[in-house]
Amino acid sequence: MTQALRLGIAGLGTVGIGVVKIIRRHADLLETRTGRPIEITAVCARDPNKDRGVSLRDFAWETDPIALAQRDDIDVYVELMGGENGPAKASVEAALASGKDVVTANKALLAIHGQELAEKAEAAGRVIRFEAAVAGGIPVIKSLTEGLAGNEITRVMGVMNGTCNYILTRMQSQRQGYNALFDECAELGYLEADPNLDVGGIDAAHKLALLSSIAFGTKPNFDGIQIEGIQQISLDDIDQAEDMGYRIKLLGVAQRTARGLEQRMQPCLVPSDSPLGQLEGGTNMVVIEGDAIEQVVLRGPGAGEGPTASAVMGDVCDLARGLRISTFGRPATSLEAASPAVTGLPAPYYLRLGLLDKPGALAKVAAILGDAGVSIDRMRQYAHTESTAPVLIVTHKTTRATLDHALSGLSGTDVVAGTPVALRIEQV
């Protein structure tokens, strides 16, 4: 009989329990597909007596993840604790040093320490797999490293945080403001312990750093990502963007340009009739563009017990089959240091201004934009609310630096109330 692939699972939260359930439910199917049994030998969690909804009596227990990672009776260390440092990093390092392969769902760990850990894995003759770290159940890592390996990737973009997409789509469908929906997400358990990881764009930016590294052969460079959250998006922006044929999404974009590697995670407008524009609720979507395939759209559940555990098991099954791929799709020592783009590629922008009720106010705004080199494509003015009137402007393509110069000029006038909102319009 072929020797079983033995797992040690650190972290028995939603995803860890999901992995236990899949292995129990599909033991025969997994063996048929991989050619060997897959079994759990040992697990690690703080409280062995907690009721987790499934029996865990068959497994050896550790309360120290490093001790689990060093056990002689496991072949693969499955890290599902989370956190960019602390026990997660130390235990992964211990597993690699002990000759174990690693499967993880920890996007923060790899976005910050991925290069270091990938080099340690290769030096030890081990591999790190992390399909579950990006976009839940969507097999985007496998798509980039395997299915699209014959392509030169030109752009990767997507909606990679379901909580943000839930808030933005509910703002539109339910006519609720950001604050009310933030509270709703907190009650439903959709937010991280630190909510800014979600609504501030940090969680999604961790994922973008990993995709960018695989797509462009660069060392993960989380610090090189321009990050902006969704906290400033109002119902007015949602409504007025829709009125002009767009929807607002927290969109991650990575592309190599003549200016360097451009990596952005920020609210953008996308056409309402595009695949990204039609994405609803907590669903994720990743769009990959390459020279041979042009464009591939991957859509699916971005989080939750089943989808994320499914991604973990995809990696486990590959290891059971003997499929071994470098962490970021090529040897870690061959990855280049990313050269961040100083300025992004030009794009059209959406501007929302509160215009004071003064003669010549609109003409003054147009003149300031024109003097700064920002050309207006479309403009729409709405009825006055008290002493101001909302004005929407869609510009022709411009750089963010040019636009910021124009916005600085507008803030020094006596015709604009408050701070203008400026959102990039992404071509998809």
Side-chain angles (χ1 to χ4, degrees):
M1 180 178 177
T2 304
Q3 183 177 355
L5 184 73
R6 303 166 299 174
L7 310 183
I9 301 177
L12 292 173
T14 299
V15 179
I17 293 301
V19 171
V20 173
K21 290 179 181 177
I22 289 177
I23 291 174
R24 283 188 170 155
R25 186 168 66 243
H26 296 312
D28 292 341
L29 178 63
L30 293 170
E31 183 174 355
T32 299
R33 286 177 171 171
T34 65
R36 64 191 297 192
I38 296 173
E39 61 185 38
I40 301 168
T41 304
V43 295
C44 176
R46 291 191 183 95
D47 182 3
N49 299 313
K50 180 180 178 180
D51 182 5
R52 295 175 171 86
V54 296
S55 174
L56 302 171
R57 295 175 183 172
D58 298 339
F59 313 138
W61 275 83
E62 299 282 359
T63 54
D64 179 3
I66 293 178
L68 175 66
Q70 294 173 332
R71 288 180 67 107
D72 292 333
D73 58 354
I74 72 168
D75 305 304
V76 179
Y77 177 63
V78 182
E79 187 278 302
L80 302 174
M81 298 178 292
E84 67 184 68
N85 290 299
K89 183 173 184 286
S91 61
V92 167
E93 291 173 331
L96 296 173
S98 300
K100 312 294 194 302
D101 293 319
V102 172
V103 172
T104 181
N106 194 334
K107 51 199 170 281
L109 174 68
L110 293 178
I112 305 300
H113 303 293
Q115 181 67 28
E116 171 193 348
L117 293 174
E119 290 182 9
K120 287 184 177 181
E122 289 179 12
R126 299 292 94 195
V127 296
I128 301 173
R129 303 298 300 268
F130 58 97
E131 186 67 71
V134 181
I138 302 175
V140 61
I141 304 298
K142 183 177 283 288
S143 296
L144 281 170
T145 56
E146 298 178 47
L148 302 178
N151 285 260
E152 180 181 356
I153 304 301
T154 54
R155 182 169 65 159
V156 177
M157 61 182 170
V159 170
M160 291 174 271
N161 184 278
T163 300
C164 288
N165 202 53
Y166 177 87
I167 290 174
L168 292 172
T169 55
R170 292 274 290 181
M171 286 176 74
Q172 184 161 25
S173 64
Q174 300 299 312
R175 312 301 309 139
Q176 291 180 275
Y178 168 83
N179 289 334
L181 286 165
F182 178 91
D183 292 341
E184 179 182 318
C185 286
E187 292 173 4
L188 293 171
Y190 289 176
L191 292 169
E192 298 274 2
D194 176 3
N196 192 52
L197 292 174
D198 284 313
V199 298
I202 297 170
D203 167 84
H206 285 144
K207 301 170 188 177
L208 183 66
L210 302 179
L211 294 183
S212 183
S213 178
I214 298 170
F216 303 112
T218 57
K219 297 176 181 179
N221 183 23
F222 175 74
D223 290 337
I225 301 176
Q226 302 172 44
I227 304 174
E228 182 182 344
I230 64 169
Q231 299 96 322
Q232 85 282 14
I233 303 299
S234 71
L235 266 176
D236 286 340
D237 294 316
I238 296 288
D239 290 341
Q240 291 158 5
E242 182 180 23
D243 194 32
M244 301 184 83
Y246 297 103
R247 296 190 75 179
I248 299 175
K249 300 291 178 184
L250 180 66
L251 192 66
V253 179
Q255 56 190 346
R256 195 192 294 275
T257 74
R259 299 173 171 85
L261 181 62
E262 185 177 341
Q263 298 181 100
R264 295 179 279 104
M265 182 61 64
Q266 59 189 185
C268 293
L269 274 67
V270 297
S272 297
D273 59 357
S274 67
L276 284 165
Q278 296 176 46
L279 190 68
E280 298 288 337
T283 307
N284 283 196
M285 180 176 286
V286 180
V287 180
I288 305 171
E289 296 175 352
D291 61 344
I293 47 90
E294 295 186 358
Q295 188 179 87
V296 169
V297 178
L298 304 171
R299 177 185 180 278
E305 177 184 298
T308 311
S310 170
V312 170
M313 287 308 302
D315 285 339
V316 169
C317 287
D318 278 349
L319 293 175
R321 296 182 180 111
L323 179 60
R324 308 181 68 78
I325 296 175
S326 298
T327 304
F328 296 106
R330 64 187 80 188
T333 53
S334 73
L335 298 176
E336 303 172 356
S339 177
V342 177
T343 59
L345 291 174
Y349 280 82
Y350 156 98
L351 302 180
R352 176 171 60 83
L353 311 172
L355 202 62
L356 294 172
D357 186 14
K358 293 184 176 182
L362 193 57
K364 183 176 287 189
V365 167
I368 291 172
L369 292 174
D371 290 344
V374 177
S375 175
I376 296 174
D377 178 31
R378 287 183 283 161
M379 181 184 295
R380 187 168 297 174
Q381 183 172 347
Y382 293 84
H384 279 76
T385 303
E386 296 179 353
S387 60
T388 64
V391 173
L392 301 186
I393 295 171
V394 172
T395 74
H396 287 290
K397 287 185 178 182
T398 186
T399 66
R400 183 66 203 221
T402 300
L403 184 64
D404 285 343
H405 177 64
L407 294 177
S408 176
L410 289 174
S411 66
T413 71
D414 59 354
V415 297
V416 175
T419 303
V421 172
L423 300 174
R424 183 183 174 102
I425 299 174
E426 196 66 42
Q427 304 301 306
V428 299

